[in-house]
Amino acid sequence: MAHPLRAAAGITGIGETPVGELPGSSALSLMEDAALAALDDAGLAVADLDGLVTSRSMVAPLHRAAVILAERLGMTPELFATLEAGGATSLQMLNYALTAIGAGRARHLLCVAGDNLLTGLSRDLAVQAMAENADAEFEVPFGTFPPAAYALAARAHMHAYGTTAEQLAEVAVAARAWAALNPAAQMRQPLDLAQVLAAKRVAEPLGLNDCALVSDGGGAFVVSEPSAAAALARPPIWILGAAEAAGHEYITRAPDLTSFASALAGRRAFAMAGCRPDEVDLAQIYDCFSITPIITLEDLGFCGKGEGGAFIEGGRTGPGGDFPMNSHGGLLSHAHPGKPGGIFHLTEAVRQLRGDAGRRQVAGAELAVVTGVGGMFSAHATAILGAAR
Amino acid sequence: MTAGGEVFWDGCAVGEFRLLRCDGCGQVDHMGPSRCRRCHGAELTWIAAEGGGTVASFTIVRRAPSAGLREWVPYGLALIDLDEGTRVMARLAGEPEDWRIGGRVRLCFIAAGEAPGDFAGDRLPAFAPETGEAACGS
Ligand SMILES: [Zn+2]
């Protein structure tokens, strides 16, 4: 029997702000801009919404961001949630919206994330952000920060499976090649393997290009109940599967450094969608560091454990490759505004499944997988989206 | 600071790497939980680690995450599986060429300067390869 929430809702609108360095922007202004763009894309007005879901900001203390945004938009929402799962938040918002709509609580929900991490993050805030990702008393004093935690996983993976620095670099090179085709991307100048390998190391084995950008930017999407979606001009992109899984919070507590709760989130999402990894046309895999997609693809079952490095080798995830991944350029080359980071993986998947991706269009893209990771490989969410129900 | 953090860092000041052992089930844990993560018992006793362990993974940090750490890069950061059966984060000491996953290491304390937070900067736990000599250095 099909899962009751399979295709219980669809994505009917997407919106993005410019990304990169946006002087004068704020988390709230970026959320407003993205929200209105998504509503416009859907052909809906604020008055059509039953509620909204937002992520938190790292820069601004928007403790009830959803309530603040509702006030700004002139809404009195019945449902309003501010979620926090780091880079998994965008897909968590999707899952919340799907669940609420599937339960009959809403017809149209708006999901929004935005932050000005690049222009807004002072030194104090940066240190605080670092502390947010590690235990203040048992990890931070040793000088850990996100690149170091992901480096611990990367080295463990290299040691256990022979994954190479060149394979890690391939992830960054492919992301840049896609970004070169995306006028919206923050980093578009050519990047080759030699440059990635020669770049300064941040935390060995990870170098500068193995690490996500720091950006300002925001994105939004509208999730709609099927009959409400049918009244709109364009067919929705269906949410066929959506699942989450939380493992450890702190990297010291990870039961395994080469496989994470992404395996559970992935298995749940594919089971709900009733499809297999080899049926996917486009993979939008969270790429906060180059090691992240390698491990995630293994955990999701695209290849065996330890085979991720070989799986992405040879430029096959880049433009023209037979396994298109992160066609917007990813966190590595498009943008990474922090907690909203993963939202562009989702909006790009919708664009591709609509056939609207222009020069980046993946021919015949009908089924996409999208993943998000929060913390230090801690919180995971996976969605399977389809052009057809 | 939490009560657990205070006991741990007080231990470092006197040369001890303190762990918690559950009175109920014997599970040894780190990071100062108020209850046992296995049986959820609240009766926990502080013990001092014997000091031996194995490297689960490590990195060499070359770009300082904060201004306070800038003069200390590069430094080795590791996850160590202690012989007591729990994993801990600490610095690595000794020669980087001796650092390897699976390598045996032994506890020492290093002066690491301004670690973030109000911690005893001159008594930071580190682990040095057992084969190296004068491992912790100065
Ligand atoms: Zn116990």
Side-chain angles (χ1 to χ4, degrees), chain A residues 52-55 62-71 77 80-82:
Chain A
L52 79 176
V53 192
T54 69
S55 88
L62 306 174
H63 296 299
R64 286 170 294 280
V67 178
I68 298 167
L69 184 63
E71 182 192 284
F80 46 95
T82 304

Side-chain angles (χ1 to χ4, degrees), chain A residues 123 126-127 130-131 134-160 200-206 208 211 248 250-257, chain B residues 1-6 8-9 17-18 29-32 37 46 56-67 69-70 75-79 86-91 101-102 115-117 119 124-126:
Chain A
R123 170 149 301 159
V127 171
M130 177 175 89
D135 185 281
E137 296 169 347
F138 295 94
E139 294 184 327
V140 171
F142 299 101
T144 190
F145 66 138
Y150 279 81
L152 291 167
R155 191 186 294 275
H157 200 273
M158 292 166 107
H159 178 80
K200 278 193 178 143
R201 296 300 96 181
V202 176
E204 290 182 17
L206 303 178
L208 278 173
C211 303
H248 60 279
Y250 302 115
I251 193 68
T252 303
R253 283 280 160 267
D256 183 339
L257 289 170
Chain B
M1 211 185 293
T2 64
E6 200 159 340
F8 176 78
W9 287 101
F17 194 105
R18 291 178 178 167
D29 208 348
H30 179 50
M31 302 175 81
R37 288 194 301 140
W46 286 98
S57 191
F58 71 97
T59 178
I60 300 172
V61 175
R62 296 200 173 272
R63 192 178 185 187
S66 66
L69 285 164
R70 200 158 293 150
Y75 55 83
L77 180 77
L79 293 174
T86 192
R87 181 172 288 179
V88 306
M89 181 177 280
R91 286 284 184 83
I101 290 179
F119 301 96
L124 197 64

Side-chain angles (χ1 to χ4, degrees), chain A residues 3-63:
Chain A
H3 192 289
L5 287 177
R6 184 188 185 278
I11 299 170
T12 52
I14 54 170
E16 293 174 355
T17 70
V19 297
E21 190 173 357
L22 307 173
S25 68
S26 69
L28 205 49
S29 78
L30 293 164
M31 284 197 263
E32 284 180 292
D33 291 352
L36 293 171
L39 285 172
D40 188 54
D41 183 55
L44 290 169
V46 169
D48 296 317
L49 296 171
D50 301 305
L52 79 176
V53 192
T54 69
S55 88
R56 282 184 53 229
S57 162
M58 212 177 274
V59 175
L62 306 174
H63 296 299

Side-chain angles (χ1 to χ4, degrees), chain A residues 230-265:
Chain A
L232 301 176
R234 208 166 12 190
I237 296 304
W238 296 102
I239 306 166
L240 305 179
E244 299 166 32
H248 60 279
E249 166 66 8
Y250 302 115
I251 193 68
T252 303
R253 283 280 160 267
D256 183 339
L257 289 170
T258 60
S259 179
F260 301 97
S262 31
L264 283 172

Side-chain angles (χ1 to χ4, degrees), chain A residues 31 33 70 73 103 191 218 294 302 336 381:
Chain A
M31 284 197 263
D33 291 352
L73 294 175
L191 184 70
I294 290 177
F302 282 92
H336 188 22

Side-chain angles (χ1 to χ4, degrees), chain A residues 304-332:
Chain A
K305 183 46 66 182
E307 298 169 4
F311 184 80
I312 56 95
E313 236 172 11
R316 61 189 295 248
T317 66
D322 67 344
F323 189 81
M325 180 171 87
N326 298 346
S327 62
H328 59 310
L331 304 168
L332 292 169

Side-chain angles (χ1 to χ4, degrees), chain A residues 51-125:
Chain A
L52 79 176
V53 192
T54 69
S55 88
R56 282 184 53 229
S57 162
M58 212 177 274
V59 175
L62 306 174
H63 296 299
R64 286 170 294 280
V67 178
I68 298 167
L69 184 63
E71 182 192 284
R72 284 284 186 104
L73 294 175
M75 290 173 69
T76 50
E78 183 188 338
L79 295 176
F80 46 95
T82 304
L83 304 181
E84 167 59 288
T89 308
S90 296
L91 292 180
Q92 196 167 52
M93 295 194 294
L94 181 83
N95 202 7
Y96 178 101
L98 172 71
T99 306
I101 289 170
R105 304 292 301 272
R107 282 160 55 80
H108 297 294
L109 288 173
L110 176 67
C111 301
V112 195
D115 214 351
N116 57 328
L117 211 56
L118 180 54
T119 59
L121 207 58
S122 65
R123 170 149 301 159
D124 284 353
L125 281 169

Side-chain angles (χ1 to χ4, degrees), chain B residues 57-136:
Chain B
S57 191
F58 71 97
T59 178
I60 300 172
V61 175
R62 296 200 173 272
R63 192 178 185 187
S66 66
L69 285 164
R70 200 158 293 150
E71 62 179 296
W72 298 95
V73 290
Y75 55 83
L77 180 77
L79 293 174
I80 307 294
D81 290 328
L82 294 183
D83 293 342
E84 282 79 5
T86 192
R87 181 172 288 179
V88 306
M89 181 177 280
R91 286 284 184 83
L92 283 173
E95 296 304 318
E97 52 264 36
D98 296 329
W99 299 345
R100 54 184 54 89
I101 290 179
R104 288 289 303 171
V105 287
R106 180 144 286 280
L107 174 67
C108 58
F109 288 87
I110 58 171
E114 303 167 55
D118 299 319
F119 301 96
D122 60 342
R123 299 292 279 172
L124 197 64
F127 288 80
E130 279 185 341
T131 48
E133 45 185 272
C136 264

